Amino acid sequence: MHYQVAKESADVIVLDDNFSTIVNVAKRGRAVYVNIQKFVQFQLTVSIVALMINFISACISGSAPLSVVQLLWVNLIMDTLGAIALATEPPHEGLMSKPPVGREVSLISKTMWRNMIGQSIYQLAVLLVFNFTGHQILRIEGSDTTTVLHTFIFNTFVFCQVFNEINCRDMDKINVFRGIFGSWIFLGVVVSTVIFQVIIVEFLGTIASTTPLSWELWLLSVLIGAASLMVAVILKLIPVEQKNTKHHDGYDLLPNGPELA
Protein backbone atom coordinates (compact mmCIF):
# COMPACT_ATOMS: atom_id res chain seq x y z
CA MET A 1 0.00 0.00 0.00
CA HIS A 2 2.70 2.47 1.02
CA TYR A 3 4.73 1.41 -2.01
CA GLN A 4 1.87 2.23 -4.37
CA VAL A 5 1.32 5.66 -2.79
CA ALA A 6 5.02 6.48 -3.06
CA LYS A 7 5.06 5.30 -6.67
CA GLU A 8 2.13 7.49 -7.67
CA SER A 9 3.59 10.61 -6.05
CA ALA A 10 7.16 10.12 -7.29
CA ASP A 11 8.67 12.11 -10.16
CA VAL A 12 11.07 9.32 -11.12
CA ILE A 13 10.46 5.58 -10.79
CA VAL A 14 13.39 3.17 -10.99
CA LEU A 15 12.05 -0.02 -12.55
CA ASP A 16 15.21 -2.12 -12.37
CA ASP A 17 16.03 -1.51 -8.67
CA ASN A 18 19.38 -0.04 -9.73
CA PHE A 19 20.16 3.46 -8.51
CA SER A 20 22.80 3.94 -11.22
CA THR A 21 19.93 4.13 -13.69
CA ILE A 22 19.14 7.61 -12.36
CA VAL A 23 22.71 8.68 -13.07
CA ASN A 24 22.45 7.37 -16.64
CA VAL A 25 19.15 9.16 -17.17
CA ALA A 26 20.61 12.44 -15.88
CA LYS A 27 23.68 12.02 -18.07
CA ARG A 28 21.64 11.44 -21.21
CA GLY A 29 19.34 14.32 -20.37
CA ARG A 30 22.30 16.66 -20.05
CA ALA A 31 23.73 15.27 -23.30
CA VAL A 32 20.51 16.19 -25.13
CA TYR A 33 20.65 19.74 -23.77
CA VAL A 34 24.33 20.20 -24.64
CA ASN A 35 23.84 18.72 -28.12
CA ILE A 36 21.06 21.22 -28.79
CA GLN A 37 23.42 24.01 -27.77
CA LYS A 38 26.10 22.65 -30.12
CA PHE A 39 23.68 22.62 -33.03
CA VAL A 40 22.37 26.12 -32.28
CA GLN A 41 25.93 27.46 -32.14
CA PHE A 42 26.76 25.81 -35.46
CA GLN A 43 23.53 26.88 -37.15
CA LEU A 44 23.72 30.52 -36.10
CA THR A 45 27.34 30.81 -37.22
CA VAL A 46 26.50 29.46 -40.68
CA SER A 47 23.47 31.74 -40.97
CA ILE A 48 25.35 34.87 -39.91
CA VAL A 49 28.23 34.31 -42.32
CA ALA A 50 26.05 33.30 -45.29
CA LEU A 51 23.75 36.28 -44.81
CA MET A 52 26.48 38.85 -44.28
CA ILE A 53 28.78 37.73 -47.12
CA ASN A 54 25.97 37.97 -49.68
CA PHE A 55 24.50 41.17 -48.22
CA ILE A 56 27.80 43.06 -48.01
CA SER A 57 28.93 41.89 -51.44
CA ALA A 58 25.59 42.78 -53.04
CA CYS A 59 25.61 46.25 -51.49
CA ILE A 60 29.16 47.05 -52.59
CA SER A 61 29.64 45.23 -55.90
CA GLY A 62 26.05 44.51 -56.93
CA SER A 63 26.52 40.72 -57.05
CA ALA A 64 26.46 37.93 -54.47
CA PRO A 65 29.15 35.21 -54.43
CA LEU A 66 26.77 32.47 -53.22
CA SER A 67 24.05 31.42 -55.65
CA VAL A 68 20.58 30.15 -54.74
CA VAL A 69 21.48 26.50 -55.33
CA GLN A 70 24.64 26.90 -53.29
CA LEU A 71 22.64 28.40 -50.42
CA LEU A 72 20.25 25.44 -50.60
CA TRP A 73 23.23 23.11 -50.18
CA VAL A 74 24.46 25.24 -47.28
CA ASN A 75 21.01 25.00 -45.68
CA LEU A 76 21.12 21.23 -46.08
CA ILE A 77 24.48 21.16 -44.31
CA MET A 78 23.18 23.47 -41.60
CA ASP A 79 19.71 22.12 -40.91
CA THR A 80 19.75 18.43 -41.78
CA LEU A 81 23.30 17.10 -41.76
CA GLY A 82 24.40 19.43 -38.96
CA ALA A 83 21.51 18.35 -36.77
CA ILE A 84 22.20 14.66 -37.41
CA ALA A 85 25.91 15.05 -36.68
CA LEU A 86 25.72 17.14 -33.51
CA ALA A 87 22.45 15.90 -32.02
CA THR A 88 23.63 12.28 -32.02
CA GLU A 89 26.84 12.89 -30.08
CA PRO A 90 27.02 10.32 -27.26
CA PRO A 91 27.20 11.50 -23.61
CA HIS A 92 30.55 11.61 -21.83
CA GLU A 93 31.54 11.50 -18.17
CA GLY A 94 32.42 15.18 -18.05
CA LEU A 95 28.73 16.08 -18.22
CA MET A 96 28.18 14.88 -14.65
CA SER A 97 30.89 17.17 -13.27
CA LYS A 98 28.82 20.24 -14.13
CA PRO A 99 25.94 21.57 -12.02
CA PRO A 100 22.33 21.38 -13.24
CA VAL A 101 21.09 24.15 -15.53
CA GLY A 102 18.29 26.26 -14.10
CA ARG A 103 15.11 27.00 -16.00
CA GLU A 104 15.89 30.71 -16.08
CA VAL A 105 19.25 30.19 -17.81
CA SER A 106 19.32 31.19 -21.49
CA LEU A 107 19.87 28.42 -24.02
CA ILE A 108 22.47 30.56 -25.81
CA SER A 109 25.22 31.02 -23.25
CA LYS A 110 27.97 33.63 -23.20
CA THR A 111 30.41 30.90 -24.21
CA MET A 112 28.34 30.22 -27.31
CA TRP A 113 28.23 33.93 -28.18
CA ARG A 114 32.01 34.11 -27.84
CA ASN A 115 32.49 31.18 -30.21
CA MET A 116 29.89 32.33 -32.73
CA ILE A 117 31.11 35.92 -32.93
CA GLY A 118 34.76 34.90 -33.17
CA GLN A 119 34.20 32.33 -35.91
CA SER A 120 31.88 34.67 -37.82
CA ILE A 121 34.45 37.47 -37.78
CA TYR A 122 37.19 35.14 -39.01
CA GLN A 123 35.12 33.64 -41.82
CA LEU A 124 33.67 36.97 -42.95
CA ALA A 125 37.08 38.65 -42.97
CA VAL A 126 38.66 35.92 -45.09
CA LEU A 127 35.75 35.56 -47.51
CA LEU A 128 35.34 39.32 -48.02
CA VAL A 129 39.05 39.75 -48.71
CA PHE A 130 38.91 37.08 -51.41
CA ASN A 131 35.61 38.41 -52.75
CA PHE A 132 36.99 41.88 -53.45
CA THR A 133 40.69 41.17 -54.07
CA GLY A 134 40.66 37.50 -54.99
CA HIS A 135 41.60 38.06 -58.62
CA GLN A 136 44.87 39.67 -57.57
CA ILE A 137 45.62 37.34 -54.65
CA LEU A 138 44.87 34.11 -56.51
CA ARG A 139 46.11 35.43 -59.88
CA ILE A 140 43.09 34.06 -61.68
CA GLU A 141 43.20 34.52 -65.43
CA GLY A 142 40.86 33.62 -68.26
CA SER A 143 37.35 34.34 -69.45
CA ASP A 144 35.57 32.77 -66.46
CA THR A 145 37.55 34.42 -63.66
CA THR A 146 34.42 35.53 -61.80
CA THR A 147 32.95 32.02 -61.81
CA VAL A 148 36.23 30.55 -60.59
CA LEU A 149 36.46 33.12 -57.81
CA HIS A 150 32.87 32.61 -56.69
CA THR A 151 33.35 28.83 -56.76
CA PHE A 152 36.46 29.19 -54.63
CA ILE A 153 34.59 31.39 -52.14
CA PHE A 154 31.73 28.89 -52.00
CA ASN A 155 34.15 25.99 -51.53
CA THR A 156 36.07 27.82 -48.81
CA PHE A 157 32.86 28.74 -47.05
CA VAL A 158 31.71 25.12 -46.97
CA PHE A 159 35.03 23.85 -45.61
CA CYS A 160 34.91 26.54 -42.93
CA GLN A 161 31.59 25.05 -41.85
CA VAL A 162 32.94 21.49 -41.97
CA PHE A 163 35.77 22.31 -39.58
CA ASN A 164 33.58 24.56 -37.45
CA GLU A 165 31.22 21.62 -37.09
CA ILE A 166 34.13 19.78 -35.50
CA ASN A 167 34.75 22.81 -33.28
CA CYS A 168 31.16 22.66 -32.07
CA ARG A 169 31.69 19.18 -30.62
CA ASP A 170 32.88 20.91 -27.47
CA MET A 171 32.17 24.55 -26.66
CA ASP A 172 34.76 24.85 -23.86
CA LYS A 173 37.52 22.28 -24.27
CA ILE A 174 40.34 22.73 -26.73
CA ASN A 175 40.60 19.07 -27.71
CA VAL A 176 37.54 18.74 -29.94
CA PHE A 177 38.76 15.43 -31.38
CA ARG A 178 38.32 13.50 -28.13
CA GLY A 179 35.98 10.57 -28.72
CA ILE A 180 35.37 11.50 -32.34
CA PHE A 181 35.98 7.94 -33.55
CA GLY A 182 33.30 6.75 -31.16
CA SER A 183 30.75 8.95 -32.91
CA TRP A 184 30.46 7.18 -36.24
CA ILE A 185 27.37 9.15 -37.25
CA PHE A 186 29.31 12.41 -36.90
CA LEU A 187 32.19 11.05 -38.95
CA GLY A 188 29.78 9.76 -41.59
CA VAL A 189 28.12 13.16 -41.92
CA VAL A 190 31.45 14.99 -42.24
CA VAL A 191 32.76 12.56 -44.86
CA SER A 192 29.47 12.69 -46.78
CA THR A 193 29.53 16.48 -46.76
CA VAL A 194 33.04 16.55 -48.23
CA ILE A 195 32.16 13.98 -50.91
CA PHE A 196 29.02 15.84 -51.99
CA GLN A 197 30.95 19.11 -52.01
CA VAL A 198 33.47 17.62 -54.44
CA ILE A 199 30.64 16.38 -56.66
CA ILE A 200 28.88 19.76 -56.64
CA VAL A 201 32.01 21.72 -57.51
CA GLU A 202 33.53 19.36 -60.05
CA PHE A 203 30.51 17.81 -61.79
CA LEU A 204 27.36 19.89 -61.17
CA GLY A 205 28.54 23.22 -62.48
CA THR A 206 25.49 23.82 -64.66
CA ILE A 207 23.10 23.39 -61.75
CA ALA A 208 25.17 24.89 -58.94
CA SER A 209 26.86 27.70 -60.91
CA THR A 210 30.31 26.30 -60.16
CA THR A 211 33.37 25.38 -62.17
CA PRO A 212 36.09 22.78 -61.49
CA LEU A 213 38.94 24.13 -59.38
CA SER A 214 42.64 23.41 -59.57
CA TRP A 215 44.25 21.33 -56.85
CA GLU A 216 45.97 24.46 -55.53
CA LEU A 217 42.63 26.19 -54.96
CA TRP A 218 41.20 23.04 -53.38
CA LEU A 219 44.14 22.85 -51.00
CA LEU A 220 43.83 26.52 -50.12
CA SER A 221 40.11 26.12 -49.39
CA VAL A 222 40.80 23.21 -47.04
CA LEU A 223 43.63 25.05 -45.27
CA ILE A 224 41.51 28.16 -44.72
CA GLY A 225 38.73 25.97 -43.34
CA ALA A 226 41.15 24.08 -41.11
CA ALA A 227 42.45 27.38 -39.75
CA SER A 228 39.12 27.74 -37.94
CA LEU A 229 40.40 25.03 -35.58
CA MET A 230 43.18 27.37 -34.48
CA VAL A 231 40.72 30.25 -34.24
CA ALA A 232 38.62 28.10 -31.91
CA VAL A 233 41.65 27.40 -29.71
CA ILE A 234 42.34 31.13 -29.38
CA LEU A 235 38.69 31.87 -28.63
CA LYS A 236 38.54 29.22 -25.91
CA LEU A 237 41.50 30.84 -24.18
CA ILE A 238 39.34 33.93 -23.67
CA PRO A 239 37.58 33.60 -20.30
CA VAL A 240 33.84 34.17 -20.19
CA GLU A 241 32.40 35.90 -17.16
CA GLN A 242 29.55 34.11 -15.45
CA LYS A 243 27.24 35.30 -12.72
CA ASN A 244 28.11 33.76 -9.38
CA THR A 245 24.64 32.50 -8.58
CA LYS A 246 23.22 29.44 -6.87
CA HIS A 247 20.57 27.15 -8.18
CA HIS A 248 17.53 26.29 -6.13
CA ASP A 249 19.18 23.04 -5.12
CA GLY A 250 22.25 24.75 -3.69
CA TYR A 251 24.73 24.00 -6.47
CA ASP A 252 27.34 26.63 -7.26
CA LEU A 253 28.22 27.33 -10.88
CA LEU A 254 31.63 25.97 -11.80
CA PRO A 255 34.23 28.50 -13.01
CA ASN A 256 33.98 28.84 -16.76
CA GLY A 257 37.11 28.84 -18.85
CA PRO A 258 39.17 26.69 -21.19
CA GLU A 259 39.91 23.21 -19.98
CA LEU A 260 43.23 22.23 -21.46
CA ALA A 261 42.75 18.61 -22.26
Side-chain angles (χ1 to χ4, degrees):
M1 180 64 180
H2 296 290
Y3 169 78
Q4 189 65 28
V5 173
K7 183 178 179 180
E8 292 177 356
S9 61
D11 293 327
V12 178
I13 301 174
V14 182
L15 299 178
D16 58 359
D17 294 329
N18 188 351
F19 192 76
S20 63
T21 302
I22 298 179
V23 178
N24 292 330
V25 170
K27 183 191 299 184
R28 292 191 175 275
R30 293 186 180 190
V32 170
Y33 182 83
V34 171
N35 287 347
I36 292 174
Q37 286 186 312
K38 294 176 184 178
F39 172 66
V40 170
Q41 176 179 302
F42 173 70
Q43 185 183 46
L44 290 180
T45 304
V46 178
S47 299
I48 291 171
V49 178
L51 174 64
M52 294 304 297
I53 183 66
N54 268 10
F55 177 76
I56 295 174
S57 178
C59 290
I60 296 177
S61 64
S63 63
L66 302 179
S67 67
V68 175
V69 175
Q70 292 170 2
L71 288 175
L72 287 175
W73 168 234
V74 170
N75 283 330
L76 180 61
I77 297 175
M78 176 179 67
D79 294 331
T80 305
L81 298 180
I84 294 174
L86 295 172
T88 57
E89 282 279 275
H92 56 84
E93 295 299 329
L95 292 172
M96 299 306 294
S97 64
K98 299 180 180 180
V101 178
R103 295 180 180 179
E104 73 283 354
V105 177
S106 174
L107 176 65
I108 304 178
S109 64
K110 291 183 179 180
T111 300
M112 295 170 63
W113 280 116
R114 176 198 64 190
N115 297 337
M116 289 188 295
I117 293 174
Q119 287 290 343
S120 297
I121 291 174
Y122 163 71
Q123 294 182 25
L124 275 174
V126 172
L127 295 177
L128 287 175
V129 167
F130 280 109
N131 185 63
F132 294 114
T133 62
H135 291 91
Q136 294 78 19
I137 296 176
L138 302 175
R139 298 179 180 178
I140 302 175
E141 299 178 353
S143 58
D144 58 345
T145 56
T146 301
T147 304
V148 173
L149 179 60
H150 285 179
T151 302
F152 171 77
I153 292 174
F154 165 61
N155 201 43
T156 303
F157 172 75
V158 170
F159 275 101
C160 283
Q161 310 321 316
V162 170
F163 284 98
N164 191 42
E165 193 170 14
I166 298 175
N167 287 329
C168 291
R169 293 189 70 243
D170 201 306
M171 294 176 288
D172 292 307
K173 293 184 179 180
I174 291 177
N175 185 9
V176 294
F177 293 97
R178 174 182 292 177
I180 192 171
F181 293 106
S183 181
W184 60 270
I185 296 179
F186 183 91
L187 289 176
V189 168
V190 171
V191 172
S192 300
T193 302
V194 173
I195 292 175
F196 281 116
Q197 178 64 16
V198 173
I199 294 174
I200 289 174
V201 171
E202 296 294 325
F203 304 105
L204 299 180
T206 304
I207 300 174
S209 302
T210 60
T211 187
L213 298 176
S214 64
W215 70 267
E216 293 93 346
L217 293 181
W218 271 101
L219 179 61
L220 184 58
S221 294
V222 175
L223 290 177
I224 293 174
S228 65
L229 296 174
M230 294 304 302
V231 173
V233 171
I234 296 173
L235 291 173
K236 290 173 183 178
L237 293 175
I238 302 174
V240 177
E241 182 181 359
Q242 295 283 2
K243 293 182 180 179
N244 188 19
T245 58
K246 287 188 176 182
H247 295 284
H248 66 280
D249 50 12
Y251 280 99
D252 286 315
L253 288 174
L254 293 178
N256 192 5
E259 296 179 33
L260 302 178

